[in-house]
Amino acid sequence: MGGTITHVLGARPNFVKAAPVIRALATLGFAQRVVHTGQHYDERMSEIFFVQLGLPRPDVNLGVGSGTQARQTAEVMVGMEEEFTRTPPALAVVYGDVNSTIGASLAGAKLGVPLAHVEAGLRSFDDTMPEEINRRLTDQLCSLLFVTSPEAVGHLAREGRPAGAVYFVGNPMIDTLLANLPVFDAAAARSSHGLGDRRYVVATLHRPANVDSPDRAQELVSALHEVAAELDVIIPLHPRGRATLEAAGLLDAPRVRVIDPLGYLEFMSLVRGASAVVTDSGGVQEETTLLRVPCLTLRPNTERPITVTSGSNRLITRDELAAAVLKACDDGPYTGELPPLWDGHAGPRIARIITTWLKAA
Ligand code: UD1
Ligand code: UDP
């Protein structure tokens, strides 16, 4: 196939979404290039995903690292401008809603690089989240908009994006989940965390609104301690909130276990065996939907409402947490319908559409 496709990856959720797309394009014989911006860089936040998901080694790592919103985005822009100038692709693919996504899109658009956005059109309508700004702007810059959930089509139409650019393809994060389902080992996860036969809850927390302020962190810790009075709570903790949550006393409860971020396979194994999950993650709302594990999301809104209407997800406040977790554990797994096209074939759909689009370009 003529022309290289460049994938821009930067943060943990990008890796999980990109793996099936890169694999499907490789099957069709495309030349591909993987650029890692370096937004996430710890071994547990980056390298382990490349190994476990069979992602190709990045051709280049921009080494952007951490910084303020503007600095991090700007460094991605500068790095991607150099990258696109040196190695102009036939198409660049960006993923999700992180600063690497918008930084790469801005750099590419100004150089005339055609862009595709995987996970286009999701909206929380909450402009206090940097991700919402990243999503809306990225979608304005991309020629191909790959949608994971039907309501996103309407959001893109209302923002003036042409219908011909929008493709509802299903969810590549769910492709990754279904491809690895046979190796998620809940019994091994139980045993490695010493859980015996007890019911347990998994919690993941990293949103600024929950973990950045000492006061909010204090309220969150109290709520988690209430849960831990009844159940074991295992927290593979994102590095962002660790210091604040620990300073707020997170570890001062015998049934709270804080561990380093887990590799994808270990994380999903632990989630699969959980009675409930407490989270503020985007991806975890989707994965628990597919696994039918009750999910309590500590946010006032979600860009993934389908996980509430066709999934096990519920939005809750910190005050509601303990009662909601106990009820969810008693109610048991979600048994309703699942979102349309979350069937494990999003990657091949995206690859076919890209093939046709490149032929016509
Ligand atoms: C970013 C995304 C968020 C996504 C999350 C996934 C933006 C604006 N936010 O948030 O949408 O849900 O990734 O995990 O792009 N850190 C480390 N090691 C690392 C990476 C980060 O210690 O490998 C720490 C640093 O202290 C850093 C902080 O985490 O300052 C925040 O990292 P950053 O990438 O800026 O944002 P996230 O909170 O990870
Ligand atoms: N994840 C993981 N180990 C962990 C926590 C998360 O492998 O300890 C995976 C999981 O598949 C999740 C994805 O990383 O969906 C992205 O997680 P994160 O919550 O960081 O990002 P978000 O989806 O909120 O942008």
Side-chain angles (χ1 to χ4, degrees):
M1 297 273 178
T4 300
I5 298 175
T6 294
H7 302 267
V8 186
L9 315 181
R12 179 165 72 178
N14 296 159
F15 312 137
V16 186
K17 291 162 198 174
V21 178
I22 294 174
R23 191 172 314 113
L25 287 165
T27 304
L28 296 181
F30 281 97
Q32 303 188 74
R33 193 168 160 81
V34 173
V35 178
H36 192 323
T37 67
Q39 176 172 347
H40 284 176
Y41 43 85
D42 289 347
E43 192 267 337
R44 289 299 188 105
M45 298 295 288
S46 176
E47 169 69 15
I48 197 164
F49 292 87
F50 284 78
V51 173
Q52 292 195 345
L53 302 180
L55 278 160
R57 302 269 93 223
D59 295 280
V60 56
N61 189 319
L62 304 179
V64 160
S66 306
T68 64
Q69 291 293 315
R71 185 172 297 280
Q72 190 177 56
T73 309
E75 298 226 353
V76 172
M77 287 178 68
V78 171
M80 287 310 304
E81 186 177 57
E82 283 169 13
E83 157 68 23
F84 286 145
T85 303
R86 254 196 322 266
T87 316
L91 182 74
V93 187
V94 298
Y95 296 84
D97 54 18
V98 301
N99 286 344
S100 299
T101 313
I102 182 61
S105 301
L106 280 166
K110 291 188 176 189
L111 290 169
V113 172
L115 296 160
H117 185 201
V118 171
E119 202 181 82
L122 295 185
R123 297 291 179 265
S124 66
F125 302 100
D126 179 352
D127 284 342
T128 67
M129 296 179 68
E131 294 84 357
E132 182 71 358
I133 297 164
N134 294 344
R135 289 181 199 115
R136 241 192 359 255
L137 298 184
T138 298
D139 286 334
Q140 288 298 321
L141 300 173
C142 290
S143 307
L144 284 171
L145 298 164
F146 295 119
V147 162
T148 54
S149 184
E151 80 285 355
V153 175
H155 297 153
L156 291 166
R158 276 188 289 282
E159 291 169 14
R161 305 305 291 133
V166 178
Y167 299 88
F168 175 37
V169 290
N171 190 335
M173 183 165 246
I174 299 304
D175 286 20
T176 299
L177 185 146
L178 291 174
N180 289 286
L181 197 54
V183 290
F184 298 156
D185 189 341
R190 265 185 185 284
S191 131
S192 68
H193 298 290
L195 288 160
D197 293 334
R198 298 190 299 281
R199 295 195 303 181
Y200 66 92
V201 171
V202 175
T204 81
L205 301 157
H206 70 276
R207 293 289 161 206
N210 282 327
V211 304
D212 280 8
S213 126
D215 289 347
R216 294 292 86 71
Q218 185 66 67
E219 291 166 21
L220 185 53
V221 164
S222 302
L224 288 167
H225 284 181
E226 258 188 85
V227 177
E230 307 288 334
L231 294 156
D232 290 79
V233 181
I234 316 285
I235 312 179
L237 195 51
H238 188 293
R240 177 175 199 114
R242 189 154 196 153
T244 317
L245 289 168
E246 289 188 0
L250 183 60
L251 299 169
D252 302 342
R255 293 178 80 182
V256 168
R257 193 121 19 107
V258 175
I259 55 176
D260 284 338
L262 289 171
Y264 179 76
L265 299 177
E266 292 77 17
F267 179 70
M268 295 312 310
S269 298
L270 192 63
V271 167
R272 193 177 194 186
S275 295
V277 168
V278 174
T279 197
D280 55 15
S281 159
V284 173
Q285 295 174 60
E286 298 183 340
E287 291 158 336
T288 48
T289 283
L290 235 284
L291 292 175
R292 299 180 177 278
V293 174
C295 179
L296 291 317
T297 298
L298 278 163
R299 287 178 45 188
N301 50 57
T302 178
E303 64 290 335
R304 292 163 163 89
I306 200 155
T307 62
V308 176
T309 53
S310 297
S312 60
N313 191 19
R314 213 184 123 194
L315 304 183
I316 52 156
T317 63
R318 286 179 283 272
D319 289 344
E320 293 167 328
L321 180 70
V325 168
L326 293 178
K327 178 171 182 334
C329 291
D330 288 342
D331 289 351
Y334 171 72
T335 54
E337 59 180 325
L338 293 172
L341 291 191
W342 287 20
D343 58 3
H345 302 298
R349 285 188 196 102
I350 290 170
R352 281 195 296 273
I353 293 162
I354 286 178
T355 307
T356 308
W357 189 87
L358 283 174
K359 275 190 192 142

